[in-house]
């Protein structure tokens, strides 16, 4: 009887060890795949392209970081997020984009009469330029100084896509992710997207 109990206990222990090993192997494979995917994303340049021949867009892969990795490698962003009264442990994803806007200005210069007092009159050269994305209003004084206001507007569209692996490479989709990407499009035709980064926070 004792021998049967001993064998049963040994088998149960072996089963527990096997389950633990399989779980550990699965976790290591997941970490390996994440590391490999992150390396691939970091090695890739941001792909820039045009939409409708006028709008600038950029495509980038997705980085997957644990919260401690995010706080270490993106410390400046993590500190800024804390100022938003959002706890880093509640983060799901962070998107950053760098853009520059270059607009060629063209408009009419007009004279504007300014009465300093009852006897002194100043004629200022003023300009007003406005469209959907940019406004410039200002005047130059006779001494050559310019004073005015410039307003620049933009609208950004961000689309996230996920490609899943297929069984045997070509059959039905599985739940395993093959690739993640985001596309960022500026609706302002004068804006060029210089860089994009998308980080998913792993829990």
């Amino acid at each position: 009887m004792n021998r049967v109990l001993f064998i049963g206990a040994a088998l149960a222990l072996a089963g527990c060890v096997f389950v633990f090993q399989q779980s550990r192997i699965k976790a290591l494979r997941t970490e390996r795949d994440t590391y490999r995917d992150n390396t691939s994303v970091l090695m890739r340049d941001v792909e820039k392209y045009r939409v409708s021949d006028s709008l600038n867009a950029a495509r980038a892969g997705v980085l997957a970081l644990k919260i401690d990795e995010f706080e270490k490698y993106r410390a400046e962003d993590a500190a800024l997020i804390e100022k938003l009264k959002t706890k880093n442990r509640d983060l799901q994803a962070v998107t950053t984009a760098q853009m520059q806007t270059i607009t060629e200005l063209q408009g009419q210069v007009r004279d504007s009469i300014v009465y300093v007092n009852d006897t002194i009159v100043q004629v200022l050269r003023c300009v007003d330029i406005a469209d959907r994305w940019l406004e410039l209003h200002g005047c130059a004084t006779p001494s050559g100084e310019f004073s005015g206001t410039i307003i620049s507007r933009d609208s950004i569209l961000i689309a996230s896509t996920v490609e899943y692996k297929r069984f045997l490479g070509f059959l039905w989709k599985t739940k395993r992710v093959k690739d993640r990407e985001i596309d960022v499009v500026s609706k302002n035709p004068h804006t060029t997207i210089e860089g994009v980064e998308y980080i998913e926070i792993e829990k």
Side-chain angles (χ1 to χ4, degrees):
M1 185 67 179
N2 290 337
R3 183 178 180 184
V4 173
L5 290 175
F6 176 78
I7 294 174
L11 289 174
L13 179 61
C16 291
V17 170
F18 177 78
V19 170
F20 174 78
Q21 285 180 334
Q22 291 301 309
S23 176
R24 184 59 182 156
I25 289 172
K26 183 178 180 181
L28 290 173
R29 283 177 178 169
T30 300
E31 289 182 9
R32 178 203 63 192
D33 292 345
T34 299
Y35 176 79
R36 182 181 58 202
D37 293 342
N38 283 345
T39 302
S40 176
V41 169
L42 292 171
M43 294 294 290
R44 254 189 291 172
D45 291 331
V46 174
E47 178 187 348
K48 299 178 183 178
Y49 62 99
R50 282 187 169 270
V51 179
S52 303
D53 296 328
S54 62
L55 303 182
N56 290 283
R59 177 176 295 139
V62 176
L63 285 173
L65 298 179
K66 294 182 174 65
I67 188 62
D68 57 336
E69 294 172 329
F70 176 73
E71 290 174 342
K72 178 180 179 181
Y73 298 112
R74 296 294 184 270
E76 186 176 339
D77 291 337
L80 178 59
I81 289 169
E82 284 187 359
K83 293 180 181 179
L84 300 176
K85 297 181 180 179
T86 299
K87 296 178 180 178
N88 285 341
R89 65 173 179 269
D90 296 331
L91 282 179
Q92 291 186 341
V94 177
T95 305
T96 60
Q98 299 80 43
M99 295 165 287
Q100 70 173 5
T101 302
I102 301 175
T103 305
E104 295 182 1
L105 302 178
Q106 186 174 6
Q108 298 293 324
V109 178
R110 59 178 173 79
D111 289 338
S112 180
I113 299 175
V114 177
Y115 293 91
V116 178
N117 53 45
D118 292 338
T119 58
I120 301 176
V121 175
Q122 282 190 342
V123 179
L124 306 181
R125 302 288 284 172
C126 298
V127 63
D128 293 291
I129 301 172
D131 65 15
R132 179 182 176 186
W133 304 106
L134 181 76
E135 286 188 40
L136 172 63
H137 306 283
C139 295
T141 65
S143 63
E145 295 180 356
F146 181 85
S147 177
T149 302
I150 185 168
I151 302 170
S152 182
R153 304 180 183 90
D154 212 327
S155 180
I156 303 295
L157 181 144
I158 301 176
S160 176
T161 55
V162 179
E163 182 183 358
Y164 292 95
K165 294 181 178 180
R166 291 184 175 272
F167 184 71
L168 296 181
F170 64 94
L171 295 176
W172 57 84
K173 291 181 181 179
T174 66
K175 293 183 178 181
R176 297 184 64 190
V177 174
K178 180 179 180 181
D179 193 20
R180 288 187 178 94
E181 290 182 332
I182 63 161
D183 291 84
V184 179
V185 183
S186 170
K187 296 182 181 180
N188 183 343
H190 308 299
T191 297
T192 301
I193 299 174
E194 298 296 309
V196 177
E197 184 179 61
Y198 183 82
I199 300 174
E200 284 191 346
I201 305 300
E202 293 186 333
K203 302 298 183 181

